[in-house]
Amino acid sequence: AELRFQDSVGTLALGHGYLATGCDDGELSIWLAPAPAPVKHLLSLAQAGSGCWACSVALRGDVVACALSDRSVAAFVLPSGERLFRLAFDDMVLSVALDGRLLACGSRDGSTTLWRLPTGNRLLGFDHEPVENAVAGGSDVGPVPIYAVALEDGLLACAPNDFTVTAWKVGDDDILRCLGKMSLDTME
């Protein structure tokens, strides 16, 4: 099925019978996407006013999370669209991920934070330590944005703008343990 929008779709996620689309007008739309039936619009969640766009969206089970350019992240329950929480950040969140019990957020200021579902309570946060002289664009001054985060069963991967990926494990005791940092230079 071909879907048409009023503005550009900047991010999307697919899973658990849903398609979530985040547009440059800040609108988060949820679609029922069971195969082989045609895609059906379920609901629209207008997130912000003029000039705000969706940066990242994640789906897991009956929860959808969306990061917006206004430095906020909101999580909703599906199929009702009831908002679980809305979080404010010091800088724009570029990537979000869900694993059923946690929400991970990677920010432009180089921080990664983990939040509990469904409450939105902060579990922990940390700043990424860049690899010396490895920042894209040649500058190693200032924070290194976290462009992508992935989360699965307490395993967190962060991809900052320094050509690396760092893997972490969130234990049942909620202690974060670094499993290692990877780059193409170190992988043979």
Side-chain angles (χ1 to χ4, degrees):
E2 182 176 292
L3 304 174
R4 297 270 181 194
F5 296 86
Q6 296 296 318
D7 213 327
S8 297
V9 175
T11 182
L12 54 85
L14 184 64
H16 305 279
Y18 297 106
L19 169 65
T21 56
C23 293
D24 287 350
D25 61 4
E27 184 171 291
L28 172 64
S29 293
I30 308 300
W31 309 81
L32 294 174
V39 175
K40 295 181 185 175
H41 187 257
L42 177 62
L43 58 105
S44 291
L45 304 164
Q47 291 301 295
S50 174
C52 183
W53 67 91
C55 301
S56 179
V57 65
L59 274 169
R60 177 61 69 133
D62 63 349
V63 176
V64 61
C66 183
L68 295 164
S69 63
D70 69 354
R71 301 177 180 187
S72 71
V73 172
F76 303 89
V77 176
L78 298 176
S80 69
E82 175 187 351
R83 187 165 73 188
L84 289 172
F85 53 82
R86 187 175 185 116
L87 306 168
F89 290 80
D90 293 333
D91 206 337
M92 190 181 333
V93 173
L94 302 175
S95 182
V96 292
L98 297 163
D99 81 346
R101 70 179 187 101
L102 298 173
L103 164 68
C105 301
S107 298
R108 184 171 58 186
D109 65 5
S111 66
T112 300
T113 50
L114 292 174
W115 308 84
R116 293 186 189 282
L117 294 174
T119 61
N121 292 334
R122 183 181 168 123
L123 175 62
L124 56 91
F126 60 94
D127 292 327
H128 178 75
E129 295 296 326
V131 173
E132 190 175 332
N133 298 321
V135 177
S139 171
D140 58 357
V141 178
V144 180
I146 306 298
Y147 281 133
V149 292
L151 189 61
E152 182 69 34
D153 296 327
L155 182 63
L156 170 67
C158 303
N161 189 26
D162 69 356
F163 309 114
T164 66
V165 172
T166 304
W168 305 86
K169 179 66 178 169
V170 182
D172 292 335
D173 53 4
D174 291 335
I175 294 176
L176 189 68
R177 293 172 180 85
C178 183
L179 300 177
K181 183 176 279 205
M182 300 153 280
S183 71
L184 288 178
D185 293 340
T186 61
M187 296 176 67
E188 296 296 325

